[in-house]
Amino acid sequence: EVSLISPSEWELMRVVWTEGPSKAKTLVENMSKKSQWSESTTKTLLRRLVSKGILTTKSVEGQRGFLYTPTVAEKEAMRDQAVQLFNSMCAMKRGSVLIELIERMQMTRGDLDNLTKVIENKRETAPETIDCDCLPGECDEHEGAAH
């Protein structure tokens, strides 16, 4: 499971995922063009991403600096972030939040066809209700729900 990534770290990681293993100099140049970031901002974010285990560094023989390489694929990181976010929510509210996101999100017809299939399959085993997983008194919005 990927550590939570801040919005700025996501911006930098999207460049790393696009470019592949990169030297700091290349990433600094790309981020300065894309977001007008200073060299120190990009290098700080690189250090944070290495400490979170999302990037690794490797020396390149005969060259100064490191090659930064992602330890996780972009799609996997996106999924892990979403799962962590939804797991932190009250179980009873996750469905309504997901519905709102789908309503707001631009999606292709293919995405919607796939989503429809997933929903139809999921409907077959879906329970009528979901128990609240909040601590007693933490979630007064649904009094009477199973705690």
Side-chain angles (χ1 to χ4, degrees), residues 15 28 129 139:
V15 170
V28 166
T129 61
C139 192

Side-chain angles (χ1 to χ4, degrees), residues 57-113:
T57 56
K58 184 171 116 181
S59 298
V60 180
E61 196 173 320
Q63 295 183 25
R64 287 186 62 216
F66 297 109
L67 201 58
Y68 290 89
T69 304
T71 61
V72 63
E74 182 176 17
K75 193 169 184 178
E76 181 184 346
M78 292 167 70
R79 185 200 60 236
D80 286 355
Q81 294 278 281
V83 166
Q84 285 181 51
L85 175 63
F86 276 87
N87 283 345
S88 68
M89 294 178 194
C90 170
M92 292 179 70
K93 296 177 184 174
R94 291 177 192 152
S96 63
V97 170
L98 186 56
I99 290 165
E100 277 187 50
L101 290 173
I102 291 169
E103 286 175 341
R104 293 178 184 196
M105 193 178 309
Q106 187 173 22
M107 299 172 76
T108 66
R109 288 176 191 246
D111 289 337
L112 293 169
D113 290 343

Side-chain angles (χ1 to χ4, degrees), residues 115-128:
L115 184 58
T116 300
K117 287 175 192 165
V118 168
I119 289 169
E120 286 170 358
N121 289 337
K122 195 139 180 93
R123 180 187 306 277
E124 293 182 24
T125 58
E128 283 297 317

Side-chain angles (χ1 to χ4, degrees), residues 16-58:
V16 175
W17 283 313
T18 300
E19 295 288 326
S22 303
K23 299 205 51 134
K25 180 181 180 187
T26 303
L27 295 170
V28 166
E29 288 170 4
N30 284 335
M31 294 314 297
S32 115
K33 289 176 199 164
K34 182 179 181 202
S35 301
Q36 290 80 45
W37 288 359
S38 69
E39 179 177 348
S40 63
T41 298
T42 300
K43 287 186 172 182
T44 297
L45 291 170
L46 286 170
R47 279 192 297 278
R48 281 191 208 155
L49 289 162
V50 168
S51 72
K52 289 180 177 186
I54 296 163
L55 288 176
T56 59
T57 56
K58 184 171 116 181

